[in-house]
Amino acid sequence: AQSVTQPDIHITVSEGASLELRCNYSYGATPYLFWYVQSPGQGLQLLLKYFSGDTLVQGIKGFEAEFKRSQSSFNLRKPSVHWSDAAEYFCAVLTQAGTALIFGKGTTLSVSS
Amino acid sequence: DGGITQSPKYLFRKEGQNVTLSCEQNLNHDAMYWYRQDPGQGLRLIYYSQIVNDFQKGDIAEGYSVSREKKESFPLTVTSAQKNPTAFYLCASSSNYAGYTFGSGTRLTVV
């Protein structure tokens, strides 16, 4: 069965430091992968997505993610974190039937000054 | 502006009561989804619908029901059979593999 694992429940990063959020997936074929961000009490906003092609994808708000098939990973990165990036981040994969997204349990990002 | 509207933002349910959460979209998307979010659990799929008058159970459909009579609307009813309904409920829609557009959620609390 398809699944998504986000190993880090909570990460704290200093403002201006770089960020990497980890995501591992279990999937039989080429996955469609997504990263979403959620502010408290709000819905989710799409940061970026990977379908095929270039394994380094650029998203909104200065985020990027790299697809590594050999490691079954799709880690999210940002070179310099801003206080406004504090939120919960979710990695997701589209089911093989293409019917719905399966989400990881999320990583909460705190930004310290 | 196109988007998804969920209402109400906060909802309180008494024991044994059915409640209905509203989800309306004006994006002309074919597919719509309901997810439940609990702290530390991520989002779990309740029901989804890919076309009007058709819907499928997700991973945690027990105690919930839906209808899809119009393309724009996908209401979720939390029935008295759902023993632990307190959660944050998110509705989403999509037109292809481009990803979902989410509503701002409804927080349901049992009182």
Side-chain angles (χ1 to χ4, degrees):
Chain A
Q2 298 120 57
S3 65
V4 175
T5 301
Q6 294 180 246
D8 304 305
I9 297 173
H10 190 189
I11 284 182
T12 299
V13 175
S14 298
E15 190 168 16
S18 63
L19 169 70
E20 183 169 30
L21 301 182
R22 296 184 290 163
C23 172
N24 295 100
Y25 64 89
S26 171
Y27 195 85
T30 299
Y32 288 7
L33 294 159
F34 305 80
W35 273 101
Y36 284 85
V37 62
Q38 183 183 35
S39 298
Q42 299 297 313
L44 279 68
Q45 181 183 23
L46 178 66
L47 285 175
L48 48 80
K49 58 186 182 284
Y50 171 78
F51 290 170
S52 63
D54 193 347
T55 56
L56 184 63
V57 293
Q58 303 296 321
I60 63 171
K61 303 185 179 187
F63 285 93
E64 66 178 27
E66 186 171 14
F67 171 63
K68 293 185 177 179
R69 183 188 301 277
S70 62
Q71 298 176 19
S72 297
S73 70
F74 188 56
N75 294 348
L76 182 71
R77 302 193 296 244
K78 187 170 185 178
S80 177
V81 169
H82 188 261
W83 64 266
S84 60
D85 293 323
E88 190 159 20
Y89 292 79
F90 292 94
C91 182
V93 64
L94 187 68
T95 59
Q96 277 187 274
T99 51
L101 289 180
I102 298 171
F103 286 85
K105 293 187 176 182
T107 298
T108 299
L109 172 66
S110 297
V111 180
S112 61
S113 57
Chain B
D1 286 339
I4 295 183
T5 301
Q6 289 189 243
S7 61
K9 189 172 180 65
Y10 299 97
L11 186 58
F12 298 91
R13 192 193 94 167
K14 294 181 180 179
E15 295 283 352
Q17 197 176 46
N18 292 355
V19 292
T20 298
L21 284 59
S22 172
C23 178
E24 302 277 336
Q25 55 104 352
N26 60 3
L27 300 165
N28 199 34
H29 285 172
D30 291 316
M32 297 186 73
Y33 312 82
W34 276 105
Y35 284 87
R36 170 178 171 145
Q37 185 177 20
D38 298 282
Q41 294 298 313
L43 279 72
R44 293 181 289 169
L45 183 64
I46 304 173
Y47 269 98
Y48 63 96
S49 168
Q50 294 189 300
I51 56 173
V52 175
N53 292 322
D54 185 56
F55 49 83
Q56 305 296 327
K57 293 181 179 180
D59 300 321
I60 57 166
E62 185 175 352
Y64 300 96
S65 66
V66 294
S67 62
R68 187 86 186 278
E69 297 176 0
K70 299 186 301 180
K71 187 175 186 178
E72 302 79 17
S73 179
F74 191 42
L76 174 74
T77 296
V78 184
T79 75
S80 57
Q82 173 49 242
K83 297 307 179 188
N84 185 25
T86 294
F88 191 53
Y89 291 86
L90 286 161
C91 179
S93 70
S94 71
S95 63
N96 50 39
Y97 295 159
Y100 291 2
T101 299
F102 279 87
S104 56
T106 292
R107 186 165 300 280
L108 174 62
T109 304
V110 174
V111 296

